[in-house]
Amino acid sequence: MANTANKDTFTQWDVDSISRPVVALSASMVSKDWEQASHQHRKAQLLYSVRGVLNCEIEDGVWIVPPQCAVWIPGGLSHAARGSGETECYCLFVEPDAAPDLPRGCCTIGVSPLLRELLLKTASFSGNAVTGAREERLIATLLDELSAAPVQDLHLPMPRDTRLRRLAEMLLADPAVKVSVHDWATRIGMSERSMSRLLLQEIGMSFGRWRRQLHVILSLQRMAKGESVQTVALELGYEGPSGFITMFRKTVGKPPVQYLSARSASAPIAGDFSHVASILFP
């Protein structure tokens, strides 16, 4: 899909003004990083990655969206989005009352082959056309599949406490640094016990699990850009790839290469997008 649009193309789509309960569009990105500033809309949004890794950021967390996964963003929630490397995705906009069992909070979900095909088919509907009985049945099935989609543990919660926010900023700035939990606590003016207790209270994670989750997110971003497992492991402070692979497998259930390969292999071919309405991001 040619990259012919300017940076304001997305804003030309006022999805909240479209009366249909569900509107789907495909989005094509160029092969470089992109970022969309914080914004919100009345309709809920599903952002589905066909290829590449997407990030969605809200005030209290960051969600990672690898290929064949999607992030669900409730209506009215301010969020920013960005892509790593070459990315293609679908945007599904849903009226808040379109179905009773849709997720209530922001989350990353797995996309089944059936849900993927329903997204593609819905994206081929004209955005302002009167929905017919056949389209209504397809959309109802799509909403059923979306409501039943499994939630993926690819979320980095962000604490609200200013000291813990400072800790998060330091970890993001230098994820490879090898510092004890005691020293991290000292750096933000807390005792180790107080920091650990407040982390559990605010984000429901220990410091170690939180840091591993951060490493998974950063590694998926970098591997999506073509970096090798060994390079990523060294950049994140591991002595070699074996320790990093063990951490990744324990966190997401598969080694990193197998995890990404399985998702890339199930991506639709480029020709599948030729007939759907599209947004082109610069």
Side-chain angles (χ1 to χ4, degrees):
M1 199 174 286
N3 177 33
T4 59
N6 59 43
K7 66 179 66 177
D8 296 321
T9 301
F10 182 77
T11 60
Q12 295 171 10
W13 290 86
D14 182 8
V15 294
D16 286 338
S17 68
I18 299 176
S19 60
R20 295 179 57 167
V22 174
V23 179
L25 301 166
S26 75
S28 177
M29 323 295 184
V30 296
S31 57
K32 65 179 181 180
D33 298 343
W34 57 270
E35 185 169 354
Q36 191 179 9
S38 183
H39 65 287
Q40 67 183 59
H41 24 75
R42 179 179 51 79
K43 291 185 179 183
Q45 180 180 4
L46 184 77
L47 187 59
Y48 162 53
S49 175
V50 176
R51 51 178 57 83
V53 175
L54 312 178
N55 275 4
C56 177
E57 300 179 17
I58 64 172
E59 183 180 6
D60 60 359
V62 178
W63 276 260
I64 181 79
V65 190
Q68 310 313 310
C69 279
V71 61
W72 173 261
I73 309 160
L77 183 66
S78 293
H79 58 280
R82 57 190 174 90
S84 297
E86 184 174 354
T87 58
E88 285 189 70
C89 66
Y90 278 113
C91 297
L92 183 75
F93 297 95
V94 183
E95 288 287 353
D97 60 351
D101 298 322
L102 294 171
R104 296 184 179 274
C106 200
C107 60
T108 304
I109 63 174
V111 176
S112 67
L114 174 57
L115 180 53
R116 183 185 68 213
E117 293 305 315
L118 288 166
L119 282 167
L120 190 148
K121 185 62 179 177
T122 304
S124 70
F125 299 161
S126 173
N128 293 299
V130 176
T131 304
R134 179 172 179 272
E135 293 179 353
E136 289 179 352
R137 290 193 297 270
L138 285 169
I139 288 173
T141 304
L142 183 152
L143 292 174
D144 285 343
E145 287 297 304
L146 181 57
S147 299
V151 174
Q152 307 286 326
D153 188 17
L154 293 170
H155 169 219
L156 181 71
M158 295 296 285
R160 295 182 180 272
D161 182 85
T162 55
R163 295 163 297 178
L164 296 181
R165 281 276 182 170
R166 190 161 70 251
L167 173 62
E169 290 168 0
M170 289 190 291
L171 286 170
L172 286 165
D174 192 0
V177 67
K178 296 180 179 179
V179 176
S180 68
V181 179
H182 173 79
D183 287 342
W184 279 120
T186 300
R187 289 186 181 190
I188 62 173
M190 300 181 72
S191 69
E192 180 180 344
R193 183 176 179 180
S194 295
M195 186 183 80
S196 298
R197 184 172 60 246
L198 191 57
L199 275 171
L200 284 172
Q201 179 182 326
E202 290 215 356
I203 65 173
M205 288 185 181
S206 67
F207 176 81
R209 183 184 169 194
W210 190 41
R211 192 164 184 255
R212 289 193 296 273
Q213 197 81 343
L214 171 64
H215 281 186
V216 167
I217 287 176
L218 294 177
S219 65
L220 285 171
Q221 290 174 343
R222 294 174 182 183
M223 287 186 292
K225 297 178 182 179
E227 294 187 23
S228 68
V229 170
Q230 182 171 357
T231 298
V232 170
L234 295 175
E235 288 179 346
L236 293 179
Y238 296 85
E239 294 183 359
S242 60
F244 165 71
I245 292 171
T246 299
M247 179 280 299
F248 194 100
R249 184 191 296 114
K250 287 181 177 179
T251 305
V252 304
K254 293 181 180 180
V257 172
Q258 183 181 346
Y259 181 85
L260 284 174
S261 295
R263 297 184 179 279
S264 297
S266 60
I269 59 174
D272 288 342
F273 300 95
S274 60
H275 64 290
V276 302
S278 66
I279 308 168
L280 297 177
F281 288 82

